[in-house]
Every structure is written in structure tokens, then in C-alpha cells.
Amino acid sequence: MEKLIIHGGKCLNGTVKISGAKNSVLPILASSLLSSDQIIIGNVPHLQDVTTTISLLTEMGAHSSIDEKMRVTIDSSSIRNFFAPYEMVKTMRASILVLGPLLAHYGEAKVSLPGGCAIGSRPVNLHLEGLKSMGAKINVEEGYIIAKAKKLKGTTINLSISSVTGTENLMMAATLAEGKTIINNAAKEPEVVDLANCLRLMGADISGDGTSSITINGVSNLSGCSYNVLPDRIETGTYLVAATITGGNVTLKNTKPETLKTIIRKLEDVGAEVETTEDTIKISSDKENLRSVDLETSPYPKFPTDMQAQFITLNSVSKGRSRVTESVFENRFMHVQELVRMGADIDVKGNKATIKGVKKLVGANVMATDLRASASLILAGLVADGKTIVDRIYHIDRGYECIEEKLTQLGAVIKRVPQ
């Protein structure tokens, strides 16, 4: 177990390179199960969830390698084991993404019900009901999903919730199904489009990704490909908030501003100055004149739930009173009690948090409860007076590559130490 020690009050300045998107690379790694050819994936972030997914594929029999540029090669031609055990997937919600590809390509799968951050109910029933409608026989026994299908059949699937992983799992399964599949109320997130782009390179017939209705015409087989994962918009957003909250001047490289329009608009409302090119964002602010902003989380292209915690920290030290409404997950305010211990003035009632900006936060010992909560506490530590110690940082390593190193190169005083 490790922790981060942060000495706050430093203004962040300089340039930082954004890593590949965690929420893209995990489904793209899973998509390698759809082909017997090699898949080469570039711009892969060095994250715990990536390591876990590669280990899971290897456990199934795939061969994998990683070069010095973090390009991952997966060869699934030798897979003979269609089992994803609890021990391998208990920390990672995205492990469910192997279910659709295994079922579509090999006709069977036994996958543990997944784990991950305890931020609320994220039921897998959408995945299971969709696969059942495609002809799969599915039972849940002793914590495992046991699925079989001689050949999946195309159908129309109407998702009750616009689920990202549900859309991705069913889209992957449909690529090798017989006939046409239409997914209605599909998730529109850039990571879904990224997966679709990779699948098309493999030979899939997919259209409508990025809209609420995706059409997939099944093909007989998929080939290998080489594909670079898109930049991580949530990592980008987190560093944009870090620059804003500390009154810094930071340039972010290897990013994709068009996927962050809602976040950038909110930061401009706070008082930050933002300039963009096709793949860079430059941001600066005067931390003494930040204005708090109201926001409500919703599926893309609206404000992302994965940036809610970071903006609550930002609002905590901005002028005025603000309200943040969490409309995606019902248990995603666990960071609030830790911020209050640092001097934040936040009141939570149901799915709404009311924040009154304070002049300063004070360093304290705090505990991370999930991935994005970890980021919000690090941001608080960057701006707080004195020393902040963030415990249980294994959460942060699931979604942020070398966060203390990147912040250090921007001028933060932060180090990782053993517990």
C-alpha cells in the first residue's frame, strides 16, 4: 500500500503529455478476442486496469507483448480457455467486456460478475438481456455468468439506459452475429466511437456510432489491425482543473479538444482562459478570481460524471455558491466528506451537492474511495495550505498514468511513499 504526500500552494506551469484513454483501451483490448490474427494497439497508457486486462487475456491463452513505445500486441489465435475468474476481475468493472467477444467468436464464456469502484449500481443486466435477445443462453451461478450460443443472431436491442460498456459489449458481439443488429439508445461517448473505428479496421460493418442508434451488419470473421487509442479526455480534464485551481499556465499535448467541449466551456465560465489547436490545449487562470459554476452530470456530450469530483474541488475554492447535481451514479459524493475535513463548505442532499466557496483549504490526511475521488483529493492537496496525505492511492493508478511524475514536472511538490 502506498500514499501520496503533497505540499500545496505551488502554481503549475509547463507542458504535459496526455496518455491514451483508459476507457478506450480496455474494450479495444477485449476486441482482440474477436480475431485470430494479431492486434497491435498503440498509445496504450501504463495503468493497473490495462495490466489486469492483458493478464486476463494471457490467462485465457493469448500471447501478448509490449514494446518500448507501449504498443501492445495481442495474438488470440491460441485461446482455448473461455474463463474470466473472479481473482482476475474483482477490481475492474470493464472485465465484463470480454463476455460479448468470447460468446460471438467461440460460442461460450464463463465470466465472473465484475468489481470496480463502489460508486453505485452499474448492473450487467443490460449486457445479458441484449445477448439473450441475440440467441444466447445465459445463467448466473455462484457469482459467474455462464453463456453459450452456437451462433448469435442479429436483432434490434433497445437499451433502457445509455450504457457505455453495454453498448460496447453488444456492438462487439454483433460484429460476428448472423444478420443485422441495431442498438437503440446507444452511448455516444468518444470511447465508443474509438472502439467502432478499431473494429472497422478489423473488417466490421458498423455505422451510426456517435449517435443514439448504431447498426452492425455481422460478418463471418475479423482480421488483425494496428490502431492507436485516442487521448484520455478525463485525464485531460483533470489537468485542466489542476492548472485552473492553482492559477497556472499549462499546455496539454497529445489531446483531443473536440471531445472536451463541455468541460472547456465550464472552465471558461469559472474564469480560465483556454486556447486550443487540433491536438493541444493551453489554459491559464487567476486563482484569486475564480467563479463557481453549477453543473449536472449526464451522458456524453453533456458534462461527464467522471469530472464531477474534480469540479467540486474547484468550486470549493471559487467565489460564490454552486450546485452540482449527480444524475448518473447514486453514490458518487464519497469524496465530499474528505474535502470537508480540509475545510470545504459542502452540503449534500440526495443527488445534489451545494458548495460555498472558501478562501482556502488546509492540508489533512484524507482517504481515496474511488478513482475520480482520488483525483479530486490530489487537486485539493495542490491548492491547500500545508501538507496533504492521500491514502489508498491504488485507485488513482487504475486511471492516471504516472500522475505524481506529470504533476512534478509542472512544478507540484508531490511524492509517492510506502505506507
Side-chain angles (χ1 to χ4, degrees):
M1 197 84 77
E2 297 174 313
K3 58 188 176 183
L4 288 174
I5 299 176
I6 308 163
H7 293 272
K10 301 295 182 181
C11 179
L12 299 189
N13 289 285
T15 300
V16 64
K17 183 181 178 183
I18 297 301
S19 301
K22 173 182 93 86
N23 290 337
S24 275
V25 73
L26 300 182
I28 288 173
L29 282 167
S31 75
S32 67
L33 293 167
L34 292 165
S35 174
S36 297
D37 297 335
Q38 280 192 351
I39 308 293
I40 301 172
I41 309 167
N43 200 31
V44 175
H46 184 53
L47 301 172
Q48 186 56 50
D49 279 9
V50 172
T51 302
T52 300
T53 302
I54 294 172
S55 297
L56 175 59
L57 295 173
T58 303
E59 183 80 8
M60 291 177 178
H63 295 292
S64 65
S65 63
I66 305 175
D67 68 15
E68 68 281 357
K69 294 183 179 179
M70 278 303 292
R71 285 182 305 196
V72 176
T73 299
I74 304 288
D75 182 347
S76 297
S77 61
S78 55
I79 281 187
R80 299 293 181 269
N81 172 20
F82 316 121
F83 178 47
Y86 172 75
E87 292 73 22
M88 294 289 295
V89 305
K90 62 185 178 181
T91 64
M92 190 179 65
R93 178 70 49 171
S95 58
I96 191 69
L97 289 167
V98 302
L99 178 61
L102 283 174
L103 197 53
H105 192 186
Y106 300 101
E108 61 179 293
K110 183 178 180 181
V111 178
S112 171
L113 290 167
C117 290
I119 58 175
S121 175
R122 294 193 277 189
V124 300
N125 64 296
L126 291 173
H127 307 242
L128 306 190
E129 291 305 318
L131 291 169
K132 284 180 182 178
S133 72
M134 298 171 75
K137 293 181 179 179
I138 297 177
N139 293 305
V140 178
E141 301 174 5
E142 299 179 342
Y144 282 89
I145 301 163
I146 301 171
K148 291 184 180 295
K150 287 185 178 180
K151 183 70 174 178
L152 294 176
K153 307 286 186 182
T155 188
T156 297
I157 301 170
N158 298 309
L159 295 177
S160 58
I161 300 170
S162 180
S163 162
V164 173
T165 54
T167 300
E168 292 169 338
N169 221 347
L170 296 172
M171 182 168 67
M172 286 191 283
T175 60
L176 294 178
E178 189 176 284
K180 179 191 291 188
T181 299
I182 299 173
I183 304 173
N184 291 321
N185 196 28
K188 304 173 186 176
E189 272 71 2
E191 294 78 15
V192 174
V193 175
D194 210 32
L195 173 61
N197 286 336
C198 180
L199 291 170
R200 274 190 287 266
L201 271 183
M202 295 167 68
D205 183 350
I206 301 172
S207 60
D209 46 296
T211 76
S212 60
S213 184
I214 301 176
T215 299
I216 308 102
N217 292 301
V219 296
S220 58
N221 66 281
L222 295 178
S223 60
C225 75
S226 179
Y227 188 78
N228 287 331
V229 173
L230 95 166
D232 196 311
R233 62 192 171 99
I234 304 302
E235 185 195 26
T236 301
T238 301
Y239 283 106
L240 290 174
V241 173
T244 303
I245 203 170
T246 63
N249 189 326
V250 174
T251 299
L252 289 77
K253 299 193 305 182
N254 189 41
T255 187
K256 198 169 183 180
E258 69 179 64
T259 65
L260 290 118
K261 291 178 181 177
T262 305
I263 294 169
I264 289 172
R265 278 197 298 269
K266 286 293 182 184
L267 287 169
E268 289 174 333
D269 290 343
V270 168
E273 294 184 5
V274 183
E275 299 175 16
T276 65
T277 68
E278 185 179 352
D279 60 358
T280 67
I281 304 174
K282 183 176 181 180
I283 186 165
S284 61
S285 78
D286 175 1
K287 68 177 182 178
E288 303 301 326
N289 291 299
L290 301 178
R291 305 177 296 271
S292 59
V293 291
D294 294 339
L295 60 91
E296 179 174 358
T297 64
S298 288
Y300 190 86
K302 296 181 179 179
F303 194 89
T305 182
D306 280 351
M307 285 300 301
Q308 175 255 99
Q310 298 90 315
F311 264 76
I312 282 187
T313 299
L314 178 56
N315 278 343
S316 295
V317 292
S318 299
K319 293 178 180 178
R321 187 183 295 268
S322 59
R323 175 173 286 188
V324 172
T325 304
E326 175 55 58
S327 299
V328 178
F329 294 121
E330 73 275 11
N331 194 25
R332 208 166 199 182
F333 285 134
M334 289 186 288
H335 50 285
V336 166
Q337 61 187 5
E338 301 299 295
L339 292 173
V340 169
R341 295 184 66 250
M342 298 178 70
D345 186 345
I346 308 171
D347 180 51
V348 174
K349 286 186 172 59
N351 70 332
K352 300 184 190 314
T354 301
I355 306 110
K356 183 180 179 182
V358 297
K359 289 187 177 180
K360 66 177 181 179
L361 298 177
V362 179
N365 284 45
V366 292
M367 184 180 296
T369 53
D370 61 72
L371 171 54
R372 306 307 172 183
S374 305
S376 74
L377 297 177
I378 291 170
L379 292 171
L382 292 176
V383 76
D385 285 355
K387 181 171 71 173
T388 298
I389 300 174
V390 183
D391 218 336
R392 294 177 65 181
I393 59 167
Y394 56 85
H395 289 293
I396 203 77
D397 295 330
R398 292 185 48 237
Y400 292 89
E401 182 177 40
C402 305
I403 190 167
E404 71 272 21
E405 295 173 20
K406 290 185 178 183
L407 288 170
T408 297
Q409 78 183 53
L410 294 175
V413 180
I414 177 173
K415 65 178 179 178
R416 182 183 294 247
V417 297
Q419 191 70 282

